[in-house]
Amino acid sequence: MSVQRSESIEKIESQDMWDVLIVGGGATGLGTGVDAASRGYSTVLLEAADFCQATSSRSTKLAHGGVRYLEQMNFSLVYDALHERGRMRRNAPHLVDDQSFIVPTYSWWETFYYGIGLVMYDLLSGPFSFGRSYPMVRNSAFYHVPGLNPVGVKAGVRYHDGQFDDARYAMTLALTMNELGGCPVNHMQVRSLIKEDGVVRGVVAVDLLTGKEHTIHARSVVNATGIFTDEIRQMDDPSVTPILQPSQGIHIMLDRTFCPGEAGILIPKTDDGRVVFVLPWHDKLIIGTTDTEVSGPEMEPKATNDEVDFLLEHVGRFLARKPQRKDVRSVFNGIRPLIKAEGADGTSALSRDHYLTVSESGLVTIAGGKWTTYRKMAEDVVNTCAKTAQLPAVECRTSNMPLHGWTRDFDKDDPFRAYGSDVQYLYDLMDEDETLAELLHKRLPYRKVEVVWAVRSEMAQTLYGVLALRTRALLLDAAAAVEAAPEVARLMAVELGLSGEDAAAWIDTQLAEFTEVASQYMAGTCCQL
């Protein structure tokens, strides 16, 4: 099963009216596309960049209830998120794993306090539990996290959460939407809204790859643009008050040798009151995250020196081997679309609940929330669209609906596991051409066949789209991704049907653009003063 971007463009040009038009191809937009298409509504989704390119690809890679929200007494958010976490694993078992964590404790009171809280976490998960939480003695904690700094540790508490690859999950949603008859298209930027008698009836969008303008009509238009939510709202009504308070969160990537165990570490209290995770992922360690208020949205926000130093300092207190800036393989940064709240003390106190509203013109806006609750958010959005646009009433079908590639017949250690039931197609390609089995780089787990597959079957159009989103090379090791880029660009040019001077020009442009962006992921050059 593959998706060709040209086919999506043909659908846009041939259809006079859509039931649901979604602006934004992050987690919430793609989830809404899947929900609407599964109900039989004609559905089109427009993403200005690439699917999941902004915030949704820069998470901590956790499908979780949010341990720290228990302390904020937000039990309903935790309950919903834990149940949605379970649905994510049930609907895409090839993409979502159980991940155990150790909370190191430094007094018997801490062991009791965190133990009680995590038992409550288990209870709230109900039938969707990923495993039982329990306290453990000091030696057991070191067994599970051998990189832990032993100084002061009295015991530990173990608990379970979910782990996934956010961009791969998003790509799966795009494929699922297409499979259901929907029309997802990337690199299509909405420039204006179409209004008839004061009611939003579609958009004017520009294909950023060809420059062609498209007028697309729809009965219901959804603003699911994440950190750019207020820009679309102001396109609808220039007088509206912004509802977002953007918050920047960075992660750093280290080699797995700093903490080689299978469990992660939850650092429950930093100097600014946040939690920090030390998380094994793709044979590396993710350390994150920070919480810094920023003035507005950016597609490629830069980390600051203070943020990088904050993470290095805090994780250095908990790891036996203290990481230095030279040890950082990559720094990735995202902006959270948090909903403003009166009297909130800093962005860490702002709500992670979602915000759904319908403007006077009928524009449906969804904002806030978190990756784990994307499906529930989408359900609420489509229910609202059906009501406001008077679409035929159809019940939500996504609660127990397998996503594209669903299979339980996979090897957890298979390098192509994330492709699910599509994996055989990749092996077939390598059988046809043995060179496609070659690694892109000795420090990266990805192979040339994944580049070919990304272009042929997953609408990849740019070097960034392959090295940052369809593979996670840029996040795992920025320098290695830059070194692999020329060969990846050559492979892509062939798959895109380019040759001669056209191919050379395209490759040069892509390499220049990717190298500039990738420099922001390198700890030595990424940081603002």
Side-chain angles (χ1 to χ4, degrees), residues 9 181 234 240 264 390 392 441 451 488 520:
I9 300 296
Q234 288 166 351
V240 296
Q390 298 181 324
H441 192 282
V451 179
V488 174
Q520 300 179 28

Side-chain angles (χ1 to χ4, degrees), residues 12-38:
I12 286 175
E13 293 176 336
S14 63
Q15 185 138 340
D16 294 330
M17 176 67 73
W18 298 84
D19 291 329
V20 179
L21 185 155
I22 302 154
V23 186
T28 308
L30 288 165
T32 301
V34 169
D35 189 303
S38 71

Side-chain angles (χ1 to χ4, degrees), residues 1-19 21 37 41-46 174-185 188 212 214-217 459:
M1 168 72 190
S2 65
V3 180
Q4 295 292 327
R5 185 174 185 272
S6 58
E7 294 174 358
S8 290
I9 300 296
E10 288 175 6
K11 286 183 181 179
I12 286 175
E13 293 176 336
S14 63
Q15 185 138 340
D16 294 330
M17 176 67 73
W18 298 84
D19 291 329
L21 185 155
Y41 302 142
S42 59
T43 307
V44 60
L45 179 147
L46 309 178
L175 293 169
T176 304
M177 179 184 173
N178 180 79
E179 208 167 48
L180 292 166
C183 178
V185 60
M188 184 73 76
K212 185 174 181 179
H214 297 268
T215 299
I216 310 169
H217 292 90
M459 300 176 70

Side-chain angles (χ1 to χ4, degrees), residues 512-528:
E513 292 177 354
F514 179 74
T515 301
E516 181 180 358
V517 171
S519 68
Q520 300 179 28
Y521 289 70
M522 298 179 188
T525 58
C526 69
C527 305
Q528 298 174 333

Side-chain angles (χ1 to χ4, degrees), residues 239-525:
S239 68
V240 296
T241 302
I243 59 172
L244 296 187
Q245 174 51 69
S247 164
Q248 177 168 288
I250 78 159
H251 300 79
I252 59 177
M253 197 73 71
L254 302 176
D255 285 335
R256 187 72 176 275
T257 53
F258 281 91
C259 190
E262 293 301 314
I265 303 172
L266 169 64
I267 301 170
K269 190 74 72 174
T270 61
D271 293 346
D272 68 349
R274 289 192 55 78
V275 301
V276 167
F277 292 98
V278 180
L279 179 68
W281 188 69
H282 289 329
D283 207 32
K284 290 284 193 289
L285 284 180
I286 295 176
I287 314 295
T289 179
T290 58
D291 196 326
T292 307
E293 186 173 326
V294 293
S295 59
E298 291 182 75
M299 186 61 77
E300 287 293 340
K302 288 186 177 181
T304 66
N305 281 314
D306 287 344
E307 288 176 304
V308 174
D309 290 341
F310 175 89
L311 287 181
L312 288 171
E313 177 187 350
H314 276 79
V315 76
R317 300 174 189 174
F318 290 85
L319 295 181
R321 179 181 161 211
K322 300 184 187 304
Q324 307 298 316
R325 189 178 285 264
K326 63 181 176 62
D327 299 311
V328 177
R329 292 292 188 184
S330 186
V331 179
F332 66 95
N333 189 5
I335 296 178
R336 306 176 187 89
L338 302 180
I339 306 300
K340 285 183 177 180
E342 293 296 328
D345 184 15
T347 54
S348 64
L350 295 181
S351 174
R352 267 60 174 177
D353 284 322
H354 63 272
Y355 174 88
L356 177 60
T357 185
V358 182
S359 72
E360 290 185 6
S361 68
L363 177 68
V364 178
T365 293
I366 179 69
K370 54 205 293 272
W371 234 118
T372 313
T373 55
Y374 86 90
R375 192 211 63 82
K376 183 63 172 66
M377 294 164 65
E379 179 181 348
D380 291 348
V381 171
V382 179
N383 286 344
T384 300
C385 291
K387 183 177 180 180
T388 58
Q390 298 181 324
L391 302 176
V394 182
E395 291 294 318
C396 176
R397 296 172 175 174
T398 60
S399 179
N400 191 26
M401 187 185 78
L403 298 181
H404 175 85
W406 187 99
T407 179
R408 292 194 181 278
D409 184 20
F410 58 81
D411 179 353
K412 189 174 181 179
D413 297 322
D414 189 321
F416 305 124
R417 173 197 163 173
Y419 297 92
S421 60
D422 284 339
V423 69
Q424 189 56 51
Y425 299 124
L426 278 76
Y427 282 111
D428 289 344
L429 288 172
M430 289 186 289
D431 287 340
E432 295 169 11
D433 182 352
E434 293 181 357
T435 65
L436 295 182
E438 295 172 3
L439 289 170
L440 297 180
H441 192 282
K442 63 182 179 181
R443 293 203 308 269
L444 295 171
Y446 304 109
R447 300 179 186 273
K448 292 180 180 180
V449 67
E450 295 177 83
V451 179
V452 172
W453 182 258
V455 178
R456 289 187 188 179
S457 304
E458 296 182 344
M459 300 176 70
Q461 303 290 311
T462 65
L463 196 50
Y464 182 95
V466 171
L467 286 171
L469 301 173
R470 287 154 185 84
T471 74
R472 314 314 306 278
L474 182 59
L475 274 63
L476 296 180
D477 191 321
V482 170
E483 292 169 14
E487 177 61 11
V488 174
R490 185 194 68 79
L491 288 166
M492 290 187 68
V494 172
E495 289 301 319
L496 290 168
L498 302 173
S499 61
E501 292 182 0
D502 289 341
W506 185 87
I507 289 171
D508 287 345
T509 299
Q510 288 295 308
L511 287 174
E513 292 177 354
F514 179 74
T515 301
E516 181 180 358
V517 171
S519 68
Q520 300 179 28
Y521 289 70
M522 298 179 188
T525 58

Side-chain angles (χ1 to χ4, degrees), residues 21 46 188-195 201-207 212-217 235:
L21 185 155
L46 309 178
M188 184 73 76
Q189 185 178 60
V190 170
R191 295 286 174 84
S192 63
L193 300 177
I194 299 169
K195 289 189 176 180
R201 290 300 186 196
V203 304
V204 176
V206 175
D207 186 334
K212 185 174 181 179
E213 186 174 277
H214 297 268
T215 299
I216 310 169
H217 292 90
M235 194 181 288

